[in-house]
Amino acid sequence: MSEKQTDTAGMVIRIGHLYPTLMSVAADRGNLFSIERRCKWRGISTEVEQIFVKQTPDFTKYDLILIHGAADREMEIASKDIQHKASSLLEAAESNTVFLSVCAGYQLLGHYYKPFNGPELKGVGLFDMYTEGGSTRFMTHMALECNFEETGTKVLVGYENHSGRTYLGPKSQPLGKVLAGWGNNGKDGVEGALYKNAFGTYTHGPVLPKNPWFTDLLIQRALEHRYGKVKLLPLDDSTENAAHAAAHKLAMEFKGTMSAIEATPWKR
């Protein structure tokens, strides 16, 4: 297919939504809604399959896999179950299936998560990283600088709420450089992880509706997983960009040690 192809109408993205009820905090399900809506506006069909505990599909059949946030108790259940899915998930990642993993979902795609109190929870090792729980939570509006071949340098905005401190190994790259917020661990100045077409991040919000450029990057790569090179038709993102600008302003205004709860305007 030509790189100049822009008519994606009639194309299909197959989406696997992993643990849709067990792991879906902080409005993360909105990420799926954002993908579906932006596809619909372009005439792209989405086929969504929900994947629950004790279900082990062939993950290589999907173009895009979503796994979102959860509390430690739900993570414990997911950690045990995801071991049965691990080999297929790793095979999908190696075949360039797109992954969006958020917070607890992000942590479970690493080697392990060790809560501040409680036993170590094993991950699948898709990302070369580990996470250890801290005694305090990172809660604030966040902004990070990302750079991709398709988009150039862009700012990703969202809201972080996690006690885990994540440390990347040499086989994982960070998603971006922290401009405001704590990021992976509050020390090394980076946030999230990248491996092939797998993206991990702590940004809630949900993250995709107010970052249309990132949503489109996931859609484009998911389509390319099935069809080869494509170029998406542009959309009117005036509303989304206004939401992005507002979130970016909040993050930059209140960056530092102040938590988002302390930083809310009505507390000033």
Side-chain angles (χ1 to χ4, degrees), residues 139-141 182 254-264 268:
M139 294 179 64
T140 193
H141 301 282
W182 296 94
F254 297 120
K255 72 176 181 178
T257 58
M258 191 181 296
S259 76
I261 293 175
E262 293 168 335
T264 47
R268 297 171 62 194

Side-chain angles (χ1 to χ4, degrees), residues 102-117:
V102 177
C103 203
Y106 166 41
Q107 294 169 346
L108 283 180
L109 293 188
H111 296 302
Y112 67 85
Y113 165 59
K114 177 64 174 69
F116 188 69
N117 292 305

Side-chain angles (χ1 to χ4, degrees), residues 93-200:
E94 292 299 330
S95 69
N96 285 320
T97 295
V98 179
F99 285 72
L100 175 63
S101 57
V102 177
C103 203
Y106 166 41
Q107 294 169 346
L108 283 180
L109 293 188
H111 296 302
Y112 67 85
Y113 165 59
K114 177 64 174 69
F116 188 69
N117 292 305
E120 180 179 298
L121 304 180
K122 186 178 179 181
V124 302
L126 190 161
F127 293 125
D128 180 19
M129 68 180 209
Y130 66 90
T131 304
E132 296 181 343
S135 59
T136 58
R137 300 191 72 80
F138 293 155
M139 294 179 64
T140 193
H141 301 282
M142 182 163 55
L144 54 145
E145 183 180 272
C146 306
N147 191 290
F148 299 103
E149 181 180 352
E150 299 95 328
T151 65
T153 301
K154 293 283 189 179
V155 174
L156 188 76
V157 295
Y159 183 86
E160 62 180 330
N161 181 359
H162 58 103
S163 60
R165 276 66 166 158
T166 295
Y167 300 90
L168 303 183
K171 295 181 181 179
S172 283
Q173 296 179 328
L175 176 63
K177 180 178 70 174
V178 173
L179 300 176
W182 296 94
N184 279 341
N185 52 57
K187 295 179 180 179
D188 58 21
V190 299
E191 201 281 328
L194 289 174
Y195 177 73
K196 291 183 177 286
N197 275 341
F199 301 80

Side-chain angles (χ1 to χ4, degrees), residues 53-91:
V53 171
K54 296 184 179 181
Q55 293 181 336
T56 308
D58 176 3
F59 285 95
T60 64
K61 70 182 180 180
Y62 303 116
D63 305 303
L64 174 62
I65 295 169
L66 301 174
I67 176 170
H68 291 133
D72 284 359
R73 183 173 181 179
E74 287 74 26
M75 277 189 73
E76 185 174 353
I77 297 170
S79 172
K80 293 176 181 177
D81 180 77
I82 206 169
Q83 302 312 311
H84 303 289
K85 300 173 168 64
S87 61
S88 186
L89 285 167
L90 293 173
E91 186 179 357

